[in-house]
Amino acid sequence: MAALSTTRIQWLIAAVALLFFVPGLGAVHLFDWDEINFAEIAREMLVTGDWLQPKMAYEPFHEKPPLFIWLQALSMSVFGAGEFAARLPNAICGVLTLVVLFRIGDRLQGRTFGLLWCLAYFGSILPHLYFRSGIIDPWFNLFIFLGVLSLIRASNTAANEGRTNKEKDRAALFTGLWLGLAVLTKGPVGLLVPGLCVTAYWALSRFRAVLRIRHLGLMAFTFILVPSLWFGIDLLRNGPTFLLAFFDRQMAMLSTEDAGHGGFFGYHFVVLLIGCFPASIFALQELLKPTRTDARSNDQRRWMAILFWVVLILFSIVRTKIVHYSSLCYFPLTYLAALRLQRLWNGERATMWPRVLLGAIGSLFALITSVLPFLGMDIDIVRPLTANDAFAGGNLEAEVHWTGLETLAGLCMVFVLFLGHRFFAKADHRKGIPVVFGGTAVFVLVTLYFFIGRIEGYSQRAAVEFFQGKADERCWPVSHGY
């Protein structure tokens, strides 16, 4: 890799990302509530020709701004309305995200760090999986993260030492641009999170000024300009209806267990530990025993740690608990993991407890993907668990064909863990790190191939086929009791 130019490395990253993220995007119907809603809104944009006001069932939709839905509508205008087109924007986001992480990492601490950061993101389960979805969060998170990075470049902190005023001015303008795009993608959290990060940094710095008034003004200019290009037009066309309804919706998600999505305070701690395997193991180690080098790198690490804790604590307080609410943590979490991985890459020996935790969580994934096919072949074992849930019991009546070959996913993870353990035990981390993270990416791909269609067979296929069967009839199908 050292012999390759930086440009060629970026093209290689993009090619690998496309190979993993694009194939199979349309293999199953849309799953998630949000996937279905956003795709339908995009489809209706094409049908009505009205791209300015999002509509669901041809009625105004007030829950989200339209930027991501515009991306889906553009995709559908090229590839047709369907699952592939609805998910393609996030696959493209995945390619851009990995290239951006390499570029940023290379600029901050060199090529090796950039590659390790990129690998940590690509080879962790939920970060990888989200680029194959049709939900808003991958683009939303990327815009916020780019905004935070630009904010750091505009700040008066050690992480920004040596930059000219002209460079800081440009960074301030880009901060407003990225955060404005974030707000236009999902809403005010795109400004809330960076604002809380600056406040936390300011407090930890004993209330020394973080940003100059000039730079705040430049940020405010572009931040207001970008969202107002749509919000302003909507306000003129339709009055304050969207803004009022949107505000009510945001408050409902903050203060109530909206749509039945509740959970305990530590919900997102568990989601990140298990879902961001294996990067979460190395990030946890870095949080417990920080890497200390020069003042600039230490300050950059401080910003990333602040971003991580702000997002994690904020969405632990929010009463609506949904897995992807903490997905912005994937950026600082994999950054922290990359710091630890770089130390191992440079010769530091891996301690025992991270290796044990790596084996334990990896074995859990291997066990689940090995046992599920046998339960599917003898569904009567599971049936008593649904005795008090008629809907779940009815889903188990679906005819889903299991062959036993599905256990290859579990065997894939076992093989990855075995090789990873051998290399780490010998302190051969330059082989162990690519095996663990690259192997986990392959595990995700194999698991999706064998499991996602069969899971859909239980969860929604019967309903989808019923609705499709009514497509040519003069009727209006409505769900009941879902």
Side-chain angles (χ1 to χ4, degrees):
M1 193 66 78
L4 294 177
S5 68
T6 299
T7 300
R8 288 184 176 180
I9 291 176
Q10 291 176 66
W11 280 111
L12 180 60
I13 291 170
V16 172
L18 285 170
L19 182 65
F20 273 79
F21 297 149
V22 173
L25 285 179
V28 294
H29 300 104
L30 299 172
F31 261 90
D32 186 81
W33 170 282
D34 287 338
E35 270 200 319
I36 297 165
N37 281 345
F38 303 146
E40 173 59 15
I41 296 166
R43 188 191 70 83
E44 291 182 18
M45 279 185 177
L46 296 179
V47 172
T48 63
D50 183 1
W51 289 54
L52 289 177
Q53 186 173 49
K55 293 183 177 68
M56 166 62 69
Y58 301 100
E59 296 291 334
F61 180 81
H62 300 127
E63 294 187 14
K64 296 290 185 294
L67 180 55
F68 176 72
I69 298 164
W70 287 339
L71 296 176
Q72 288 187 308
L74 284 171
S75 180
M76 289 181 185
S77 68
V78 176
F79 298 101
E83 289 81 0
F84 178 85
R87 294 173 176 141
L88 183 62
N90 279 348
I92 294 172
C93 181
V95 175
L96 294 175
T97 296
L98 295 182
V99 172
V100 163
L101 291 184
F102 168 71
R103 289 173 60 91
I104 295 167
D106 184 25
R107 188 181 69 225
L108 292 177
Q109 297 197 37
R111 178 179 294 187
T112 299
F113 181 79
L115 286 168
L116 290 172
W117 192 0
C118 177
L119 182 63
Y121 205 105
F122 170 74
S124 295
I125 290 176
L126 280 181
H128 183 113
L129 192 61
Y130 272 29
F131 293 134
R132 298 178 61 88
S133 74
I135 62 175
I136 280 180
D137 296 80
W139 281 100
F140 181 58
N141 294 336
L142 179 60
F143 288 141
I144 294 178
F145 186 65
L146 290 172
V148 170
L149 289 176
S150 294
L151 187 152
I152 296 170
R153 289 164 65 85
S155 66
N156 299 317
T157 64
N160 196 30
E161 187 178 338
R163 297 198 186 281
T164 65
N165 287 331
K166 186 176 181 179
E167 289 173 325
K168 290 182 179 181
D169 289 348
R170 186 166 59 249
L173 288 169
F174 272 102
T175 301
L177 170 67
W178 296 126
L179 297 185
L181 289 172
V183 169
L184 194 54
T185 303
K186 196 172 182 180
V189 174
L191 181 62
L192 175 63
V193 169
L196 290 174
C197 288
V198 171
T199 302
Y201 187 96
W202 177 58
L204 291 172
S205 302
R206 299 180 182 179
F207 306 104
R208 292 195 299 269
V210 178
L211 294 164
R212 293 180 180 176
I213 298 297
R214 170 186 173 82
H215 296 138
L216 284 172
L218 291 172
M219 290 177 193
F221 170 72
T222 48
F223 173 77
I224 293 171
L225 177 65
V226 173
S228 66
L229 294 176
W230 178 78
F231 282 100
I233 293 172
D234 183 75
L235 185 64
L236 291 173
R237 287 182 72 206
N238 306 302
T241 305
F242 176 87
L243 291 174
L244 294 174
F246 181 68
F247 177 78
D248 289 341
R249 175 64 174 167
Q250 302 305 305
M251 294 306 298
M253 289 190 292
L254 290 172
S255 58
T256 64
E257 295 182 2
D258 188 65
H261 292 291
F264 61 103
F265 181 82
Y267 173 88
H268 288 293
F269 290 83
V270 176
V271 165
L272 293 175
L273 179 63
I274 305 297
C276 290
F277 171 89
S280 57
I281 311 301
F282 299 96
L284 179 61
Q285 190 179 14
E286 177 64 23
L287 285 169
L288 294 174
K289 191 178 180 181
T291 298
R292 301 297 185 195
T293 53
D294 58 277
R296 185 174 181 178
S297 298
N298 292 343
D299 198 51
Q300 185 72 41
R301 184 198 178 282
R302 180 189 235 188
W303 276 107
M304 291 296 105
I306 288 172
L307 176 59
F308 175 81
W309 287 114
V310 162
V311 175
L312 183 54
I313 293 171
L314 173 63
F315 289 106
S316 295
I317 294 171
V318 170
R319 297 191 65 185
T320 301
K321 299 289 192 291
I322 301 177
V323 171
H324 53 256
Y325 275 16
S326 57
S327 57
L328 180 55
C329 283
Y330 301 166
F331 285 102
L333 184 149
T334 51
Y335 170 87
L336 295 170
L339 287 177
R340 180 59 50 171
L341 292 172
Q342 186 176 46
R343 290 170 62 173
L344 296 175
W345 192 270
N346 291 334
E348 185 175 299
R349 195 171 185 88
T351 53
M352 181 57 68
W353 73 261
R355 288 168 53 194
V356 171
L357 191 55
L358 193 73
I361 296 177
S363 297
L364 178 64
F365 283 109
L367 178 65
I368 291 171
T369 50
S370 297
V371 169
L372 275 180
F374 296 103
L375 293 178
M377 288 187 283
D378 191 2
I379 204 68
D380 289 335
I381 297 175
V382 183
R383 211 177 299 280
L385 300 176
T386 64
N388 297 322
D389 190 335
F391 184 78
N395 285 349
L396 294 182
E397 298 293 334
E399 292 186 12
V400 178
H401 181 60
W402 296 87
T403 66
L405 288 176
E406 299 81 14
T407 57
L408 288 174
L411 293 176
C412 174
M413 178 55 75
V414 169
F415 186 62
V416 169
L417 293 174
F418 171 74
L419 284 181
H421 174 74
R422 286 197 62 182
F423 288 132
F424 278 106
K426 295 178 181 179
D428 193 354
H429 302 128
R430 296 193 177 191
K431 292 180 181 176
I433 291 170
V435 163
V436 168
F437 285 92
T440 301
V442 173
F443 165 76
V444 172
L445 198 64
V446 174
T447 301
L448 286 172
Y449 176 79
F450 280 116
F451 282 88
I452 195 70
R454 291 174 172 86
I455 291 172
E456 186 194 28
Y458 293 114
S459 66
Q460 65 181 26
R461 186 177 298 152
V464 171
E465 289 176 352
F466 172 80
F467 292 134
Q468 287 176 332
K470 301 296 180 182
D472 296 326
E473 297 184 20
R474 292 179 61 82
C475 63
W476 188 262
V478 180
S479 61
H480 173 70
Y482 279 29

